């Protein structure tokens, strides 16, 4: 074995791979390791059954969705095609309170002091309207009958005006409809406001009773009555949940009234009083 080599000779010791070959293999090793890590993470994610976003369970309560259409729209507009004169009715439950809706059809509205509307067979719906003071039996708030002012005052901000056979319901301190009713031979009275522009209004009455309201809803005028006792607050909220635009209170509880359905059947509402107050008054609708 030679111990020395010339300057132009290369000595190779052992069987190792040249350094240049090792450098060429490193990039492939790194890429393979990264791919293996990515695949491992994906497989763990899939088989773990977890997700980045929460998923509601099948028995968990789902959030309520807003109604796409008005709850009374279909029924109200279906009545417009009826040629009969009478009062259409609908029973439903709102906020766990049973209510009945009265919709006068093909009839002319009016306001009158006295018991005559209850005795006239042409009247299809009659309900007590403005309150009467217990001390002097005078009407509470402004009142116009056939263009004649009978009472004045602003004890209640809700109002109803009947002008040229059209009924307007709203809330205002001073309404020009009082003067207009006077000028055109119309009608006007005041009551507690319940809903104004879709917003329920608070009332000073805290007792529970059967409630009635004169309502403007979906360009229709109707009366909504509870079948059960209710507070004024709950009644106002109920009307707002029915998407009533405007509503004022009508005398409820066992107050006198009458209704004639589309079949001609006449039903007494409330209790008939033998000796009513002299200014007892009614909002009513008469067949055209």
């Amino acid at each position: 074995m030679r111990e020395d080599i010339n300057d132009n000779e290369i000595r190779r010791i052992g069987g190792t791979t040249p350094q240049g070959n090792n450098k060429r293999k490193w990039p492939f090793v790194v890429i393979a390791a990264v791919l293996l890590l990515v695949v491992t993470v994906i497989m763990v994610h899939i088989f773990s059954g977890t997700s980045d976003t929460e998923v509601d369970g099948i028995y968990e309560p789902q959030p309520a969705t807003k109604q796409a259409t008005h709850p009374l729209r279909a029924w109200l507009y279906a009545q417009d095609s009826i040629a009969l004169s009478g009062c259409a009715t609908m029973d439903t439950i709102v906020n766990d309170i049973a209510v009945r809706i009265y919709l006068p059809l093909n009839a002319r509205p009016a306001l009158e002091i006295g018991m005559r509307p209850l005795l006239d067979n042409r009247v299809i719906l009659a309900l007590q309207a403005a309150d009467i003071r217990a001390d002097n039996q005078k009407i509470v708030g402004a009142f116009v009958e056939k263009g004649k002012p009978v009472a004045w005052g602003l004890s209640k901000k809700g109002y109803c005006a009947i002008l040229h056979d059209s009924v307007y319901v709203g809330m205002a301190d001073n309404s020009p409809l009082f003067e207009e009713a006077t000028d055109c031979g119309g009608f006007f009275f005041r009551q507690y406001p319940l809903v104004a522009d879709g917003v329920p209004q608070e009332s000073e009455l805290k007792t529970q009773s059967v409630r009635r309201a004169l309502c403007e809803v979906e360009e229709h005028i109707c009366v909504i009555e509870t079948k059960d006792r209710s507070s004024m607050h709950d009644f106002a909220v109920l009307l707002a949940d029915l998407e009533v635009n405007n509503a004022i209170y009508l005398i409820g509880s066992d107050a006198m009234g009458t209704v004639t359905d589309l079949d001609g059947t006449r039903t007494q509402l409330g209790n008939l009083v033998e000796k009513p107050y002299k200014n007892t008054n009614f909002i009513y609708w008469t067949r055209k």
Side-chain angles (χ1 to χ4, degrees), residues 202-238:
E202 288 299 329
S203 171
E204 61 190 35
L205 297 180
K206 305 302 180 184
T207 58
Q208 292 195 344
S209 179
V210 171
R211 305 293 183 185
R212 291 178 185 151
L214 180 66
C215 306
E216 173 208 342
V217 50
E218 285 287 291
E219 300 180 346
H220 292 75
I221 295 296
C222 63
V223 173
I224 298 179
E225 173 189 73
T226 66
K227 308 305 289 183
D228 306 313
R229 296 169 64 85
S230 170
S231 68
M232 287 284 275
H233 170 79
D234 290 344
F235 189 38
V237 172
L238 177 156

Side-chain angles (χ1 to χ4, degrees), residues 157-188:
K157 294 184 178 182
Y159 68 81
C160 167
I162 303 175
L163 311 172
H164 308 293
D165 293 344
S166 295
V167 180
Y168 303 89
V169 179
M171 183 180 77
D173 289 337
N174 295 296
S175 172
L177 297 182
F178 177 87
E179 286 77 14
E180 190 170 343
T182 303
D183 293 339
C184 73
F187 308 86
F188 186 96

Side-chain angles (χ1 to χ4, degrees), residues 82-88 103-108 121-125 260-265 285-288:
I82 297 177
L84 297 174
S85 180
C87 198
L103 179 65
L105 298 175
N106 306 310
R108 181 173 291 108
N121 289 330
R122 298 174 302 164
V123 172
I124 63 170
L125 181 64
T260 301
D261 63 21
L262 294 173
D263 294 329
T265 302
W285 285 260
T286 305
R287 290 188 179 91
K288 290 183 177 179

